[in-house]
Amino acid sequence: MTRHTVLVLLFASVLLAGCARRQPPVATPTPPPPAGAPPAAATPAPPPPAVRVEEALPLPPEPVAEDAIANRSLDDLNRDSPFKPVFFALDSAELDEPGRAVATANAQLLRKYPAWVITVEGHCDERGTAEYNLALGERRAVAVKTYLASLGVSPDRIRTVSYGKEFPFDPGHDEAAWTRNRRAHFVITSK
Amino acid sequence: MTMRQVVWALAAAAGSVLGAQEPAPQQPSEVAVVISGDPGTPPRYAVPDFISLTPDAAGLAKTVGQVLWDDLAFEREFYLIPRDTYATIPVARSPDQVPFAAWRELGSDAVVFGTIARTGNDVRVEVRLFNIRTRQSVFSKEYTGSANNPRLYAHTIADEIHQQQRALRGVARTKIAFSSDRNRERMVGTVENRDVKEIYIADYDGANARRITTSRQLNLTPVWSPDARAIAYTSYRRGYPDLFVALIYQGVQEEPTRGGTQNWLPMFSPDGTRIVFTSSRDGNPELYLMNRDGTGLRRLTTHPAIDTSPTWSPTGTQIAFTSDRAGTPQIYIVGADGLNLRRLTTAESYADRPTWSPAPFNEIAFAARTGPGYDIKVYDLATGATRQITFGEGSNESPTYAPNGRHLAFTSTRTGRSQIFTLGRDGRGLRQVTRDGNNNTPAWSN
């Protein structure tokens, strides 16, 4: 639902509520017609009192959670990305079980925002060579793209690029850093 | 014919070429004569400062002497007597003042005497190489040119002395291209805080570094055209890796693959007419060949595994590359026609970036995983034997051969950040080439 539609509906409901409030509140239901009563056409009954229409509760605030994402700039979105990275084992470009779960969640996000186009960046840790890692990162990015496509995301919305070991997320030289740096990183490139 | 006889014959040939270029009558003492050392030892060379004939050339004279000493030491054909021991030797102002007895006392077999005179921005350099024993000049030459880069005179003299005395193609005038973040620029318009890497070239000793790309993007894996006038490299300026060829002396950029597909790791064929590279255009990293202008594209490998890091044999008939088709990255060789594929490395857990040596050596250097990092190893194609030339000091990657095959440049983290080093093919003579920023993927020019 676009922001515009929300505003129109909101305005309409305010109008409706305003009109209803002109009548005093009467909750009396229309009594059932007495048995054996003459046809209504013979003696027209007085018009039934208007039923007051009112929200059961005050209007909820406009939902902001989704739009907080949709309205943010690409830079802001990517700085605190709604997409989680997919991590890989050493020298591997295969999605393991946790990796598939993350990719599935990311696919749901892509279905929710069908205008978004993303780039999947393949990254490697420093334990591979600079040259080979360019190819390994490409394999990681393509593996994620293939999996997203298998979940119904159009391949046209997914670009891939490998950065090898050029842009480590963690500058450290230990297992924890390497684990963080072997990843497919999602970047929203247009929306 | 023994190696020594070959050296003599080639030296004589080089001497006659020089004679042909200089029609002036040749002094008998100027005939190329190889200076030898004591039996079984390399000749001992002394290279003092050049003599400044004009007051404004003193700095140039010192530079030429120091750089020439370094250049002559680099090939390890001579023993270079340390310059700080020359203090007691009287300074000769002209060739006939060279104090032969004093140099002999210092143990030298050869001494360089040079002068440099400056007129405005022009210099005139004269150099002689004396045989201390015979007191004869065996090499004499004059050079003129700009005062902007005095190191070039030293490099030229060193190459000519190596040619005349050792029939050896020196590499003092070659250059090394590499990728560096030394400008500390950040990427423009990026969502991440990432460093720019640009392509640089520097003299073989690291001096005169110059940036040749300004795309403020990731620029990697430069390689030289055989004529050393163009550099092909991988650039992310389109947002993904693609190939560019910079004609560095014309300021012109060629785009042989023209975008739309992802291409990286170019390598010129030895005749400069073709480029082999890695591309994922068909969905998976494979090797492709094309003419330098991008025409005549041909796929070289077809395998669901990764095929990458190609290098040409010196004859241009074979290509060595890396593939993980056996489960781990290993070095393979395939004909340039795509036939006769064979695996080279079998004892490595991980091998990448093969680099084929120039003739007369017939070997392939590569980076091998030897622990947490990599070391440079060399595979001898004649014997099938592998030797290791770095030993776990930092991680050592991306070997590239000097055009005479006697040295390799590579990337090492032994001093902390990633820097370019050069090393003899025997594992001796380590020199650090870069010191500023992180420097990667070197390529040595012809």
Side-chain angles (χ1 to χ4, degrees), chain A residues 6 68 95 97 108-109 111 139:
Chain A
V6 170
L95 275 73
E97 194 54 52
Q108 282 163 359
L109 211 49
R111 275 195 290 272
R139 286 283 290 249

Side-chain angles (χ1 to χ4, degrees), chain B residues 179-197:
Chain B
S179 171
S180 177
D181 65 0
R182 59 178 61 187
N183 264 45
R184 292 171 183 81
E185 288 183 333
R186 295 292 183 166
M187 232 168 247
V188 202
T190 182
V191 294
E192 293 283 337
N193 193 20
R194 288 170 171 172
D195 284 321
V196 163
K197 281 189 177 174

Side-chain angles (χ1 to χ4, degrees), chain A residues 14-81:
Chain A
V14 166
L15 272 184
L16 201 55
C19 290
R21 209 169 284 128
R22 285 187 196 134
Q23 294 292 333
V26 177
T28 318
T30 311
T43 47
V51 175
R52 176 176 174 171
V53 175
E54 194 176 26
E55 299 283 359
L57 292 166
L59 274 178
E62 186 177 340
V64 292
E66 292 170 16
D67 296 318
I69 290 180
N71 292 334
R72 286 163 66 200
S73 73
L74 279 182
D75 279 4
D76 286 345
L77 268 180
N78 285 316
R79 203 168 290 126
D80 180 24
S81 180

